[in-house]
Amino acid sequence: MLNRKLLVTSALPYANGPIHLGHLVEYIQTDIWVRFQKQCGHQCYYVCADDTHGTPIMLRANKEGISPEELIAKVWGQHFADFAEFGVAFDNYHSTHSEENRVFSSLIYTRLRDAGHISSRTITQAYDPVKEMFLPDRFIKGECPKCGAKDQYGDSCEACGATYSPTELKNAVSVISGEKPIEKESVHYFFNLADFTDMLTKWTTAGHLQPEVSNKLAEWLDSGLQQWDISRDAPYFGFEIPDAPGKYFYVWLDAPIGYMASFKNLCDKQGLDFNEFWAKNSDAELYHFIGKDIIYFHALFWPAMLHGAHLRTPTAIFAHGFLTVNGEKMSKSRGTFITARTYLEHLNPEYLRYYFAAKLSAGVDDIDLNFDDFSQRVNSDLVGKVVNIASRCSGFIAKRFAGLLSATCSEPALFADFINANETIAGFYEAREFGKAMREIMALADKANQYIDEKKPWLLAKEEGKDKELHDVCSMGINLFRLLAVYLKPVLPVLATEAESFLNIGPQAWIAGIEPLLNHQINGFKPLMTRVDADKITAIVEASKENLEKTVDKPKVKQFELIAGTIDFDDFAKLDLRIAKIIKADHVDGSDKLLQLTVDIGDETRTIFSGIKSAYQPEDLEGRLTLVIANLAPRKMRFGVSEGMVLAAGPGGQAIWLLSPDDGAVAGLRVK
């Protein structure tokens, strides 16, 4: 569709700490999607802001001996710098503590109030008698009423997962003063969310959400929507409610309104029409990228607030999963994270952009940053495949042909293959299936390298009378590299810009209709990306040791150890079992037991090392189907990385049988 108008946002980072790698999953995902839209020529704006209100901000500022305004200004600068260095290109990065946000928060509240969707009543809350303030749940700690675990927050237990009210905690104390909280009454204001049950039931099933998110919301809707407490008592850093002196908007009311405020700030700077994007009858597209932990606020409260205030609702909300590092949970509340700044001090940010892209899909599954896999993917894909093409060909062009590309395209069919892939790759970008897009692009890179390997320009350069062929081959390689750089531009904007400089061309739009560079002068080649230095990964881990969860004391089950007892169905359901076709099988040098299998699992190919050499010869396996576990964490071996597990049975030796539908051993399974 041509001439699309899009407004895109990411969730607002809280101004109470640094950006960490878990945050960056979302901002990099959003930035890739926005860059793709802009590369396709659409009118697309990407806005965000720091989320700056609430009790934690007030308390941290007090602890540092500065005002909340000074604190949020300092943190804003840190956040903005980190995002900029990771290539996250906001069109506007604002703050929720802004006049625009105050105006819109008051506007939405008064419209909801006047329509009868706001009510008030007296409630009882925990109160710190020393600090003379009401306590949010997370500012109360005690012993879990269910399992007895100590040092648990006032809303849920991190040991057993139980949820409860703060009054149920045993031996509860205020996190701020250490005193035992007392109960105190206060008048609070509520948004009557249940007024919008019918509207939300229709909206959440109308294609605005991912299917798994829509299904989860259906559970909440079926159980009945409750009133939402939108007020907090002084002292509180935020906006005072217009008709309620001493009462403040809860941070989660004005935080999503920050999307509107940031865009209004951009409109005022650039002369854009705000209503063109936010009016109830707007034909613009509005997209929110968020983490799965804040779906409730964005997919229920937010569209209800907008609808009740006679404003447009989002076109779609895209949720993503969490990030783990080397299989370990990241927890901001416990301080277990690698900060963006620590990463930036040691590694190229585009490594991480590519790695996240290679792992991201349109779903809400968690992704893992495995540093062995990270190094292997970057070194193999970006350095070994993509950049290597330019490196292999540019020297000959510079030395033998004065930097001038051939006047003819020697392989028009190959060039056309690369061009014709654009619709598939564009479709994956549009659908946020970035992992699939990267696999398509790397398949093209493999094809380009295969072409160069077959033509062997290093041999052509030594033969008399082969200058024309050498010129054509290397020029073709440069042209294929150019197309790869265009395809990767949303993910690797710096590499793409440097490639454009090397190619002596302007900024590249999306690839459809691009013609080969013929009789064209290029510039000298400079290394565009270097291999991941293992020492730098070690340095990141060392610098983050205070934050990374310790795993040395955790017992580990051997990968192939039989586990006694039973598992429940939920454990079994976690296995992603696929029928895979064995495309290639090879001996593994230095191993008496392993075969290296290349398998097609339906949507990608994987390398799996399997200990079945005693029973099978490689030539007996190629073309066979077998059963594999596709979601087993990659395992680093001295021979390479194994990306799954082939299932087999038998006592061992020559008596090992692949679980294969070829033999009727697997019933009821089919190729996905």
Side-chain angles (χ1 to χ4, degrees):
M1 182 170 61
L2 299 177
N3 301 318
R4 291 171 65 185
K5 295 182 294 185
L6 305 97
L7 175 58
V8 184
T9 77
S10 298
L12 313 184
Y14 200 45
N16 193 34
I19 300 301
H20 58 71
L21 300 194
H23 289 129
L24 287 169
V25 172
E26 179 172 310
Y27 301 98
I28 288 174
Q29 181 189 35
T30 316
D31 184 75
I32 290 170
W33 199 75
V34 167
R35 286 180 182 274
F36 167 71
Q37 302 297 342
K38 291 182 176 182
Q39 196 176 352
C40 290
H42 301 310
Q43 182 185 1
C44 183
Y45 300 101
Y46 179 21
V47 301
C48 195
D50 263 5
D51 182 6
T52 59
H53 290 156
T55 304
I57 300 292
M58 180 180 69
L59 294 176
R60 180 181 166 187
N62 184 62
K63 183 178 180 180
E64 294 188 14
I66 59 178
S67 69
E69 289 81 2
E70 290 173 309
L71 172 64
I72 63 176
K74 178 179 71 172
V75 174
W76 186 96
Q78 295 167 352
H79 286 182
F80 186 78
D82 288 348
F83 286 135
E85 290 188 50
F86 270 98
V88 180
F90 302 112
D91 289 286
N92 198 52
Y93 192 73
H94 203 37
S95 168
T96 59
H97 193 63
S98 66
E99 186 58 29
E100 296 96 341
N101 206 26
R102 184 192 302 275
V103 168
F104 283 122
S105 297
S106 297
L107 174 68
I108 289 176
Y109 169 78
T110 53
R111 286 185 178 180
L112 293 174
R113 180 200 63 194
D114 294 347
H117 301 304
I118 303 294
S119 60
S120 64
R121 69 173 187 272
T122 299
I123 65 171
T124 301
Q125 287 182 284
Y127 185 81
D128 188 321
V130 176
K131 292 296 183 179
E132 298 183 331
M133 61 179 292
F134 288 96
L135 294 170
D137 295 347
R138 302 291 282 186
F139 282 83
I140 306 169
K141 280 191 174 181
E143 298 172 12
C144 173
K146 309 294 184 182
C147 72
K150 296 181 179 180
D151 200 32
Q152 298 304 311
Y153 291 110
D155 54 357
S156 63
C157 177
E158 293 189 351
C160 71
T163 58
Y164 41 75
S165 68
T167 56
E168 295 179 87
L169 271 180
K170 298 176 182 177
N171 301 317
V173 297
S174 165
V175 172
I176 306 169
S177 69
E179 288 292 316
K180 181 179 179 180
I182 63 173
E183 293 185 354
K184 188 175 181 179
E185 291 186 342
S186 176
V187 174
H188 271 230
Y189 290 76
F190 295 84
F191 174 44
N192 300 324
L193 187 61
D195 293 352
F196 299 89
T197 298
D198 290 342
M199 171 260 163
L200 289 171
T201 299
K202 294 176 182 177
W203 189 86
T204 57
T205 56
H208 302 293
L209 305 168
Q210 294 135 302
E212 55 267 57
V213 173
S214 181
N215 292 338
K216 184 62 180 178
L217 291 176
E219 296 177 17
W220 291 335
L221 286 162
D222 289 344
S223 63
L225 299 175
Q226 306 301 311
Q227 287 186 316
W228 179 35
D229 189 342
I230 62 168
S231 67
R232 292 296 184 267
D233 294 278
Y236 192 82
F237 183 59
F239 295 139
E240 198 168 28
I241 298 177
D243 57 356
K247 305 291 181 180
Y248 291 80
F249 287 128
Y250 173 43
V251 61
W252 263 110
L253 181 130
D254 67 60
I257 297 173
Y259 302 140
M260 300 173 66
S262 184
F263 185 64
K264 181 63 166 66
N265 184 257
L266 178 67
C267 290
D268 292 343
K269 291 175 182 176
Q270 297 189 3
L272 303 174
D273 185 350
F274 177 85
N275 290 326
E276 189 177 354
F277 288 80
W278 285 100
K280 197 172 186 65
N281 61 351
S282 170
D283 62 354
E285 301 169 52
L286 172 62
Y287 298 99
H288 300 308
F289 285 75
I290 63 168
K292 63 182 180 182
D293 55 326
I294 54 176
I295 286 171
Y296 200 93
F297 293 100
H298 279 80
L300 291 178
F301 296 149
W302 180 230
M305 288 166 55
L306 291 169
H307 183 79
H310 308 295
L311 297 165
R312 62 89 43 80
T313 53
T315 305
I317 296 172
F318 302 134
H320 61 82
F322 299 136
L323 177 72
T324 56
V325 177
N326 286 339
E328 294 299 318
K329 178 182 177 182
M330 297 182 71
S331 170
K332 188 173 181 182
S333 63
R334 295 296 187 187
T336 56
F337 57 85
I338 300 173
T339 67
R341 184 51 48 184
T342 298
Y343 178 99
L344 288 167
E345 288 171 352
H346 298 92
L347 288 176
N348 183 340
E350 296 218 320
Y351 293 163
L352 193 67
R353 287 180 65 99
Y354 177 75
Y355 188 75
F356 282 171
K359 304 275 270 189
L360 281 165
S361 70
V364 296
D365 296 329
D366 296 345
I367 66 173
D368 183 54
L369 169 55
N370 178 286
F371 279 125
D372 288 336
D373 183 43
F374 170 86
S375 298
Q376 191 273 334
R377 284 185 189 246
V378 171
N379 292 342
S380 173
D381 291 357
L382 299 185
V383 180
K385 293 181 181 180
V386 178
V387 173
N388 189 46
I389 297 168
S391 177
R392 298 173 82 182
C393 297
S394 60
F396 294 114
I397 297 294
K399 294 175 184 177
R400 301 285 286 267
F401 308 105
L404 189 68
L405 297 180
S406 172
T408 58
C409 177
S410 59
E411 301 286 345
L414 180 58
F415 189 86
D417 285 345
F418 273 58
I419 293 291
N420 292 339
N422 90 85
E423 289 188 9
T424 297
I425 295 171
F428 287 145
Y429 270 127
E430 177 68 36
R432 307 175 325 286
E433 292 285 0
F434 298 159
K436 292 181 180 179
M438 296 308 101
R439 288 191 285 275
E440 286 289 327
I441 296 168
M442 290 307 139
L444 292 177
D446 286 337
K447 188 177 290 188
N449 280 292
Q450 183 181 2
Y451 164 75
I452 295 169
D453 288 341
E454 290 173 351
K455 296 297 182 180
K456 297 179 174 57
W458 55 91
L459 295 182
L460 293 175
K462 297 177 182 179
E463 298 182 36
E464 291 187 12
K466 295 289 187 178
D467 276 8
K468 176 67 166 62
E469 187 175 354
L470 174 66
H471 199 188
D472 287 347
V473 168
C474 291
S475 297
M476 189 68 201
I478 295 296
N479 270 292
L480 297 181
F481 166 75
R482 175 206 182 187
L483 300 183
L484 293 172
V486 177
Y487 282 137
L488 286 167
K489 191 171 183 177
V491 179
L492 305 173
V494 173
L495 184 142
T497 299
E498 292 176 349
E500 289 162 355
S501 176
F502 157 63
L503 294 168
N504 194 25
I505 56 177
Q508 296 293 279
W510 190 245
I511 209 161
I514 286 182
E515 297 293 333
L517 297 172
L518 304 177
N519 200 30
H520 176 81
Q521 190 75 40
I522 62 173
N523 294 316
F525 178 79
K526 298 177 182 178
L528 299 176
M529 189 168 284
T530 57
R531 294 175 63 84
V532 176
D533 186 339
D535 290 342
K536 292 184 177 180
I537 290 180
T538 300
I540 288 176
V541 173
E542 288 297 318
S544 305
K545 269 189 174 177
E546 294 180 1
N547 298 324
L548 288 173
E549 289 182 339
K550 290 181 169 58
T551 61
V552 292
D553 296 326
K554 292 184 179 180
K556 292 188 177 181
V557 178
K558 291 181 181 179
Q559 188 172 356
F560 301 101
E561 183 177 36
L562 290 177
I563 303 174
T566 61
I567 63 172
D568 59 28
F569 182 79
D570 288 340
D571 292 322
F572 175 77
K574 294 176 182 178
L575 298 178
D576 183 2
L577 298 175
R578 306 272 190 101
I579 297 300
K581 183 176 183 179
I582 301 173
I583 301 172
K584 188 177 181 183
D586 292 300
H587 293 289
V588 177
D589 291 339
S591 175
D592 296 329
K593 298 180 179 180
L594 295 177
L595 291 179
Q596 179 176 329
L597 307 179
T598 302
V599 301
D600 183 349
I601 63 171
D603 56 359
E604 64 174 299
T605 59
R606 298 272 188 89
T607 297
I608 297 177
F609 292 95
S610 182
I612 57 174
K613 187 174 181 178
S614 61
Y616 294 94
Q617 291 297 314
E619 58 268 22
D620 297 331
L621 294 173
E622 293 183 4
R624 290 188 62 170
L625 301 178
T626 188
L627 184 63
V628 303
I629 301 176
N631 62 339
L632 188 69
R635 185 183 181 208
K636 176 74 172 185
M637 308 174 74
R638 65 188 180 93
F639 313 103
V641 177
S642 186
E643 302 173 308
M645 179 187 288
V646 170
L647 297 185
Q654 295 184 346
I656 297 176
W657 299 284
L658 291 183
L659 300 184
S660 169
D662 294 348
D663 305 322
V666 180
L669 293 173
R670 59 185 177 84
V671 178
K672 292 185 74 172

